[in-house]
Amino acid sequence: MHQQDRDVTADLSLLKWYRDMGVDETVQDEPVNRFRPAGDTHDTPANRSQAPQPDRRSTPPPKGLKVEEQKDSVASAKEIAARCQTLDELKHAITSFSGCPLSQTATNTVFADGNPAAPIMFVGEAPGRDEDIQGLPFVGAAGQLLDKMLGAIGRDRSNVYISNIINWRPPGNRTPTANEALTCLPFIKRHIFLAKPKVLVLLGGTAAKHLLQTNTGIMRLRGTWTEVMLDDYGEQTIPALPTLHPAYLLRQPAHKRLAWQDFLALDEHLREIEQATAED
Ligand code: URA
């Protein structure tokens, strides 16, 4: 076998190994040598590749946004959101919005899935890889777990509505920054206002933090009913139950029992609402 063929075979088997290990995208063009001793700054070929490489696909860090630009984005998101009178208008407005840098790296805008007339609306964090590809929230592994959790209380996507705090996938599935959340917040608030759910379920710390405006962790918030204030749209508040994010439950299956307690409380609350509506 020629050297070139051997190189290609080695490259292919390395790629196959990466794929089998679950690597589904590259974050940097060059590998990081984590065995390099701290402080070794010699200009060797191996060290040269350690120089921080710009991630060409990622957005400029929002930290780099000038304060004025950030203010402009939030103000313009608020203004645009407030003008939308229907969910279709809002979907269209978000899809055309360019004030959040995440929209530049995303494949699709992810708006919502399920039944917008449902009494219950779930709000997650941000689209992941599968959601970005399909343009729908919670369609990957976390979404499949969410479907199972819904099934356990006799529900599915025909009688719940699902969206996220952020409408575009953060590169590499990182947690959205505070600035990104701030920019997208007017959209999800208007989204909730227009969908008018009777109950909100906040899936995970990011949804709880931004919709409840709190720094209290999700472990302390979960399972206790609270209220989301849609401040820009009158005095309106919506009952909300923070719970654990399905992606977290995939990593910490022992905590599924906590989520199960929350879903039972949710089921009870929904039954009361449905009974009261039937009696009206
Ligand atoms: N995680 C989320 O928070 N939202 C999604 O849509 C998918 C995964």
Side-chain angles (χ1 to χ4, degrees):
M1 195 191 269
H2 292 298
Q3 182 58 36
Q4 205 180 354
D5 294 338
R6 266 198 293 272
D7 289 348
V8 170
T9 308
D11 287 351
L12 281 176
S13 65
L14 180 62
L15 277 176
K16 184 171 175 304
W17 184 79
Y18 281 149
R19 191 198 58 197
D20 293 347
M21 289 298 107
V23 175
D24 57 10
E25 67 183 314
T26 55
V27 180
Q28 281 180 219
D29 291 340
E30 298 289 335
V32 175
N33 179 1
R34 302 199 188 277
F35 296 105
R36 177 182 169 191
D40 177 1
T41 54
H42 289 104
D43 185 25
T44 63
N47 286 353
R48 229 168 282 141
S49 70
Q50 302 306 300
Q53 300 289 316
D55 179 357
R56 291 189 200 99
R57 294 167 318 126
S58 76
T59 55
K63 261 192 256 145
L65 269 187
K66 291 199 199 101
V67 176
E68 285 313 311
E69 282 173 345
Q70 174 65 25
K71 274 198 208 146
D72 283 354
S73 297
V74 176
S76 100
K78 274 191 183 173
E79 215 180 289
I80 292 168
R83 264 190 261 130
C84 296
Q85 298 303 322
T86 65
L87 290 172
D88 274 350
E89 280 177 22
L90 183 66
K91 181 177 181 180
H92 190 259
I94 297 174
T95 307
S96 322
F97 183 70
S98 58
C100 179
L102 293 177
S103 68
Q104 290 156 26
T105 46
T107 310
N108 279 301
T109 300
V110 176
F111 183 67
D113 194 20
N115 182 351
I120 174 168
M121 178 169 179
F122 288 79
V123 182
E125 179 176 302
R129 183 170 175 271
D130 296 306
E131 290 76 17
D132 182 49
I133 293 169
Q134 294 190 40
L136 289 170
F138 284 99
V139 289
Q144 282 158 24
L145 177 56
L146 179 61
D147 286 339
K148 281 192 193 150
M149 292 159 78
L150 290 173
I153 56 164
R155 301 201 176 244
D156 58 31
R157 293 188 189 221
S158 69
N159 49 33
V160 307
Y161 191 48
I162 306 174
S163 187
N164 281 308
I165 291 278
I166 305 275
N167 299 96
W168 301 276
R169 181 197 186 196
N173 292 356
R174 63 165 169 74
T175 304
T177 65
N179 282 342
E180 288 158 359
L182 215 59
T183 305
C184 293
L185 212 49
F187 293 133
I188 187 63
K189 285 194 174 174
R190 189 70 182 173
H191 200 155
I192 296 167
F193 176 81
L194 292 171
K196 301 200 182 344
K198 298 246 179 342
V199 165
L200 280 171
V201 179
L202 310 179
L203 293 171
T206 300
K209 174 180 175 143
H210 297 291
L211 281 174
L212 299 175
Q213 293 176 351
T214 177
N215 282 323
T216 305
I218 189 66
M219 276 306 186
R220 292 193 61 194
L221 294 170
R222 63 143 284 274
T224 303
W225 284 96
T226 178
E227 286 184 327
V228 164
M229 277 185 280
L230 299 179
D231 30 27
D232 289 324
Y233 311 116
E235 295 296 297
Q236 202 171 342
T237 58
I238 316 243
L241 184 66
T243 190
L244 302 175
H245 194 290
Y248 169 81
L249 296 174
L250 289 173
R251 297 191 301 272
Q252 300 288 338
H255 285 169
K256 282 184 185 170
R257 71 183 171 81
L258 299 175
W260 177 234
Q261 285 169 14
D262 300 345
F263 268 58
L264 287 180
L266 175 67
D267 185 40
E268 194 180 319
H269 194 96
L270 286 169
R271 283 172 197 273
E272 280 166 18
I273 292 173
E274 281 161 357
Q275 200 175 337
T277 318
E279 283 166 11
D280 277 350

